[in-house]
Amino acid sequence: MVSENDPIVSFDYMKTFMQDVFETYNVPPDRAETCADVLIEADKRGIKSHGLGRLKPIYCDRMDAGILFPSMPIDVISESDTTALLDGNLGIGLYIAPYAMQMAIDKAKKHGVGFVAVKNSTHYGIA
């Protein structure tokens, strides 16, 4: 329950904070923005389990432990007109998932269907 003494922090402020944190971990600015967008969207939708609360224990702690990498390439392992298999190279799923989804959308717009799978990724957030 919220009381009148509880601080109110805007979504814009939280998004900027999260993006700054990701950039501190050497996530490139465009990817850091995507990561922050995904996390703040969870908070905006009331999905508290997948928003700001995941920043430290899931993303920061895993980058600190060397089991999640801030800026890995997304490699295309195989591809056809309508399908693709990507390798996320243990990069941040928060930017890998939107990349894969956009690829699937582009294929579907051109060919009527698009399916993209990803291996070696990490948590996708609310995807």
Side-chain angles (χ1 to χ4, degrees), residues 41-90:
E41 189 61 33
D43 285 318
K44 286 179 178 180
R45 294 179 185 201
I47 308 170
K48 295 178 183 178
S49 62
H50 284 70
L52 175 62
R54 288 223 166 201
L55 182 63
K56 185 196 178 301
I58 299 297
Y59 301 103
C60 296
D61 288 356
R62 289 178 183 182
M63 285 187 279
D64 288 339
I67 58 174
L68 172 63
F69 302 100
S71 182
M72 297 301 289
I74 302 170
D75 295 324
V76 177
I77 303 302
S78 61
E79 184 174 19
S80 73
D81 287 345
T82 58
T83 66
L85 173 61
L86 305 179
D87 187 334
N89 293 298
L90 297 179

Side-chain angles (χ1 to χ4, degrees), residues 11-50:
F11 287 122
D12 288 340
Y13 182 88
M14 289 192 307
K15 179 187 171 203
T16 299
F17 170 76
M18 289 188 283
Q19 183 171 345
D20 289 346
V21 170
F22 281 116
E23 288 183 28
T24 298
Y25 277 89
N26 296 316
V27 176
D30 60 325
R31 290 180 172 187
E33 182 177 13
T34 299
C35 291
D37 282 340
V38 172
L39 292 177
I40 202 63
E41 189 61 33
D43 285 318
K44 286 179 178 180
R45 294 179 185 201
I47 308 170
K48 295 178 183 178
S49 62
H50 284 70

